Amino acid sequence: TVLWVAYLLGLLAAGTLMALYGRSLYERHIKDEWLVDQGGEGDVTSIAEAIARARDGATIRIAPGTYAESLRLDRPLHLRPAAQDSPPLIEPATGPCIELAGVGGSIAGLRLMAPAPSDPADPPVPCIVASGRGGMVENNYVGSASGPAILVRSGADPVVRGNTIEDAVGPGIAVTSGATGEITGNTIGSVAGSAVVVSGGASPVVADNTIEDSGSVLYAEGARGRFERNRIGASTASAIQVTSGAA
């Protein structure tokens, strides 16, 4: 009887281990779609947990709601709304909304708003930061209480396409530190600061954007690249400024 009980306990322990490790292997190597729902109806309740557990290449769908999370994508993961007609809002209390720091990650169809710094003397807080390679920022609604709404830096080369930037303190989009990439088809409106800033030797393609009721497009500090087929209306400063060694 003792041996039979021990045998059953061994089977139970083995089954538990298989369930635990089997689930972990499934999540890391097979599961290609996650659902984040704060109400507990999804796979996880926070976006950060999904990012930590998902395999490379997985899509993370986010249920409607406000998520007070500052996120970092350092792997090729893809954030999407669970409901196209009700995108979630990512609005951290401190820090950027999200940083694309790895290779090939993407954000599409979300609403994002960055806070003002806790100390007014501190640097402004960007909402989306692209610092990795091959990223995609597409069809989002982006703002920042201090700006820039989207910051591309550190040699990054993202495609920033079809986003709406409104009522931001500004700048709307800043490309710096040798970054390249494509800034195309975005709508920038009612931005208090510069609508677009290209500086620090950056050389992006800035094309087919619509800029309304916002500050200048500014090329400075050795900036290069192409600026073409953009529409600028009702600028609150000089529409385009090229200065400080920009080409």
Side-chain angles (χ1 to χ4, degrees):
T1 301
V2 173
L3 290 175
W4 181 246
V5 171
Y7 174 71
L8 290 177
L9 290 174
L11 285 178
L12 180 61
T16 301
L17 288 173
M18 284 294 291
L20 290 174
Y21 285 102
R23 178 181 178 184
S24 176
L25 290 172
Y26 168 72
E27 290 178 349
R28 181 57 65 183
H29 298 288
I30 299 175
K31 184 176 175 65
D32 61 3
E33 192 160 300
W34 289 72
L35 176 60
V36 180
D37 187 333
Q38 292 177 324
E41 299 298 321
D43 299 303
V44 291
T45 58
S46 76
I47 306 169
E49 183 179 358
I51 290 172
R53 291 169 57 181
R55 73 172 181 85
D56 288 2
T59 297
I60 298 171
R61 301 199 179 276
I62 308 167
T66 299
Y67 295 80
E69 302 184 57
S70 181
L71 305 167
R72 179 181 170 89
L73 277 185
D74 55 8
R75 295 184 292 119
L77 299 170
H78 310 290
L79 302 189
R80 301 289 187 272
Q84 295 294 329
D85 59 349
S86 186
L89 172 62
I90 299 175
E91 188 175 22
T94 60
C97 304
I98 186 162
E99 180 176 3
L100 286 167
V103 176
S106 71
I107 316 162
L110 307 179
R111 295 182 297 146
L112 308 102
M113 175 59 72
S118 55
D119 185 338
D122 289 342
V125 180
C127 185
I128 297 175
V129 179
S131 60
R133 305 289 292 180
M136 172 77 77
V137 179
E138 185 174 28
N139 297 332
N140 302 283
Y141 291 84
V142 190
S144 174
S146 56
I150 299 176
L151 172 62
V152 183
R153 69 183 187 192
S154 306
D157 62 346
V159 173
V160 179
R161 179 172 60 204
N163 301 281
T164 298
I165 299 170
E166 292 182 335
D167 300 321
V169 172
I173 299 175
V175 187
T176 188
S177 306
T180 57
E182 300 178 18
I183 312 298
T184 62
N186 302 282
T187 299
I188 302 173
S190 301
V191 171
S194 296
V196 177
V197 176
V198 182
S199 64
S203 57
V205 173
V206 181
D208 301 303
N209 302 283
T210 299
I211 301 169
E212 295 280 356
D213 300 310
S214 299
S216 299
V217 171
L218 174 63
Y219 278 73
E221 299 171 7
R224 304 181 66 86
R226 299 207 317 269
F227 184 84
E228 56 192 20
R229 300 186 309 275
N230 299 282
R231 179 181 182 276
I232 304 175
S235 182
T236 59
S238 300
I240 301 172
Q241 298 184 56
V242 182
T243 184
S244 304

